[in-house]
Amino acid sequence: MAETAPAFEHVEHAITVPPLDSGREAKRHRVLIAGGGPVGLAMGLALARHGVPSLIVEADTTVCTGSRAICLSRRTLEILDRWGTLDAFVNKGLPWTGGRSFHRDALVLQFEMPHDTDQRLAPMTNLQQYYIEQYLLDAVGRYPELVEVRWGTRVTGVAQTDNGVEVALEAGGAPYKAEADYLIACDGARSQVRQSLGLRMEGTAYEARYVIVDIEIDAGLPTERLAWFDPPSTPGRTMLMHRQPDDLWRLDYQLLPGEDPDEMLLERNVVPVVEAHLRMMGIDRPWRLVWSSMYRAAAISLADYRAGRVLFAGDAAHLTPIFGVRGLNSGFEDAFNLAWKLAHVLDGRAAETLLDSYSLERQRAWQVNVASAMKSTEFMAPPSRGYVLMRDAVLSLARAHPALSTLINPRQSSAVSYDASPLSTITRDEVSFRAGPAPGQAVPECPLRLDSEATFLTQRLSDGFVVLAAFPSGEVPAGFVAACEEARRRTPLAVVLVEGGGRFDTLFDVRAGAVYLIRPDGHVAARWRAVDRSDLADAIARCLA
């Protein structure tokens, strides 16, 4: 079922068909993005930040209904900040730092995610997906000359040409074809682009199904992740509960063996489960069922996220179970990784082979994400009798043996390191660093003093390459200046000189000087104690394949 969510107004967008010549759009697009969900809109926004025009086609005529993906990680918020659209998300979203898990009616885990004075953003923020899509839509609307969103337009076929992609589209019953230099498939788990190319995702699909429900209720509870195993309200199930803006609460509960998924989605079967659970929690307040759907966990991926001039991102490329919230967050990181690379290829500053590194790095990220997500999934929804026995034993013993509670931890999403990336340079100075982010790792947040003002590191990064440097002597070496000048002949380069004596010194191991080259997506490309004239330029050249 789907009802209008409180406090949010869905706007229906008109279906448009461009001028055609013999069933073909006259304009050739630099990039065509299939799918106008959160990842597709994020991709269009990310490309616009690099000056790359794109067309986004979306089969629906409005943003999604229902909460769907609701947990935004700190890393995602940092990315949204780089795209200039953070404020809307933090102003509406509900931040949280931890949660509790129960076995029947006993508390077996209370966890806190890493959060200290080094951070400016919460580890997790809850926000319904329709808000996420709307805020991204508002953001791309600030680039009317670079991003066009075409509603009510679906992909019906894809064919690659010698120098681009031909995409068959249909809008309002009118079929036509469009051409683009590149096609990015962000059209979800049932990707029509993927099917048109005859590609299949491989991996593990789990039998367990979850009903996901939005209810409107003033529950009077804080924002945290709540989980129950075999709760007294609904014995045999697992139940998750999250607070959302607008007095909405999200409940995810597992179907029992033998329950029919279609039957269990009917309101007459959803309501008793929700009522019993609220009653168990001691909540006796009026509530309203707003939306419900069904979810089945899968850990599957394409073998390659690039097929010639077609690239895949988000659920079109890979699926991870919801436990640990690595789905949508991973999709944002896909966009962050791909946009700068495609921009450099399109403007001729990089070889087309740079796009291969997108697949390699994001495949690595999926492997890391899915390894943690599968552990959580096998605990939340055991795939066999043996797993059930192990899980129940851990839950029964966790109160008396707290060390076992680590097995219950949901392993929330965090930034993934691109280990062994071909874009990384291992310099002569690498072995001298005892701390700090190594090549391939994402730059950690850090409070800074710049020009005698307090700020945070991620706020000083830009859409291009950045050099972070700190010199204990306080004097900028002439070799560093020459190296920056040499690098700027290859690509635009921002330089951030950090004042000594602060947290940066410890986190980035500045004891004998430190120079970090940061990629446009916030990952370290290389680091030195001191740079020679060609060091930065050579590392950037490696980054650009």
Side-chain angles (χ1 to χ4, degrees), residues 108-109 394 397-408:
V108 292
L109 171 69
V394 169
L397 294 170
R399 291 182 68 188
H401 304 277
L404 289 175
S405 65
T406 57
L407 298 173
I408 309 171

Side-chain angles (χ1 to χ4, degrees), residues 140-417:
V140 300
R142 295 194 285 272
Y143 297 90
E145 73 287 357
L146 289 173
V147 186
E148 177 188 356
V149 181
R150 216 171 273 175
W151 298 93
T153 303
R154 63 187 182 92
V155 174
T156 60
V158 175
Q160 300 218 43
T161 63
D162 291 340
N163 62 349
V165 185
E166 183 181 83
V167 185
L169 302 170
E170 188 273 329
Y176 65 97
K177 292 184 177 180
E179 292 183 346
D181 294 342
Y182 287 90
L183 169 65
I184 305 177
C186 304
D187 51 344
R190 298 180 178 88
S191 170
Q192 180 60 47
V193 175
R194 192 178 62 232
Q195 294 178 40
S196 296
L197 294 179
L199 301 175
R200 291 175 55 86
M201 294 196 288
E202 302 292 340
T204 302
Y206 293 88
E207 292 300 320
R209 288 178 168 83
Y210 272 75
V211 175
I212 55 179
V213 179
D214 286 345
I215 65 171
E216 183 183 10
I217 183 173
D218 180 9
L221 297 174
T223 308
E224 60 178 336
R225 179 192 185 270
L226 295 170
W228 288 265
F229 300 89
D230 193 21
S233 59
T234 53
R237 301 190 195 275
T238 56
M239 173 79 75
L240 296 174
M241 197 169 177
H242 275 283
R243 183 185 171 205
Q244 305 176 79
D246 305 331
D247 284 334
L248 284 189
W249 282 82
R250 162 77 167 267
L251 288 81
D252 300 47
Y253 58 87
Q254 184 182 6
L255 292 187
L256 299 175
E259 288 183 331
D260 180 82
D262 294 330
E263 279 291 316
M264 291 305 294
L265 265 182
L266 299 177
E267 184 171 345
R268 67 171 182 265
N269 292 319
V270 171
V271 169
V273 175
V274 175
E275 284 184 339
H277 191 71
L278 294 176
R279 189 163 53 247
M280 181 201 75
M281 296 178 67
I283 299 174
D284 184 17
R285 301 185 183 190
W287 64 278
R288 179 173 74 94
L289 179 62
V290 176
W291 173 81
S292 61
S293 186
M294 185 70 63
Y295 169 80
R296 181 179 177 183
I300 56 179
S301 170
L302 286 172
D304 196 329
Y305 302 161
R306 180 189 177 199
R309 293 288 186 113
V310 181
L311 300 124
F312 294 85
D315 287 353
H318 47 72
L319 293 174
T320 57
I322 60 173
F323 312 111
V325 294
R326 292 173 172 81
L328 178 56
N329 290 302
S330 184
F332 281 123
E333 290 196 67
D334 288 348
F336 203 35
N337 184 294
L338 176 57
W340 73 269
K341 295 175 179 178
L342 185 53
H344 279 74
V345 170
L346 286 170
D347 69 14
R349 284 183 289 169
E352 191 176 23
T353 52
L354 177 60
L355 300 178
D356 294 331
S357 73
Y358 162 71
S359 180
L360 188 152
E361 291 179 343
R362 295 310 299 158
Q363 267 275 336
R364 164 66 180 167
W366 176 79
Q367 292 164 2
V368 171
N369 284 328
V370 86
S372 291
M374 288 177 73
K375 290 178 183 177
S376 297
T377 302
E378 288 163 354
F379 201 90
M380 294 295 297
S384 69
R385 178 61 181 164
Y387 275 98
V388 171
L389 291 173
M390 182 191 71
R391 194 272 305 270
D392 290 351
V394 169
L395 291 169
S396 299
L397 294 170
R399 291 182 68 188
H401 304 277
L404 289 175
S405 65
T406 57
L407 298 173
I408 309 171
N409 194 306
R411 303 174 181 86
Q412 303 293 347
S413 173
S414 59
V416 172
S417 174

Side-chain angles (χ1 to χ4, degrees), residues 96-145:
W96 55 281
T97 60
R100 293 176 291 160
S101 296
F102 300 85
H103 180 217
R104 301 190 177 109
D105 58 356
L107 179 66
V108 292
L109 171 69
Q110 185 159 4
F111 71 92
E112 290 290 325
M113 291 174 286
H115 189 57
D116 52 34
T117 55
D118 287 345
Q119 308 301 326
R120 65 187 175 99
L121 298 168
M124 287 289 166
T125 297
N126 285 354
L127 186 65
Q128 298 92 310
Q129 184 171 318
Y130 45 81
Y131 276 116
I132 295 171
E133 292 184 11
Q134 185 60 55
Y135 294 156
L136 289 169
L137 184 61
D138 294 342
V140 300
R142 295 194 285 272
Y143 297 90
E145 73 287 357

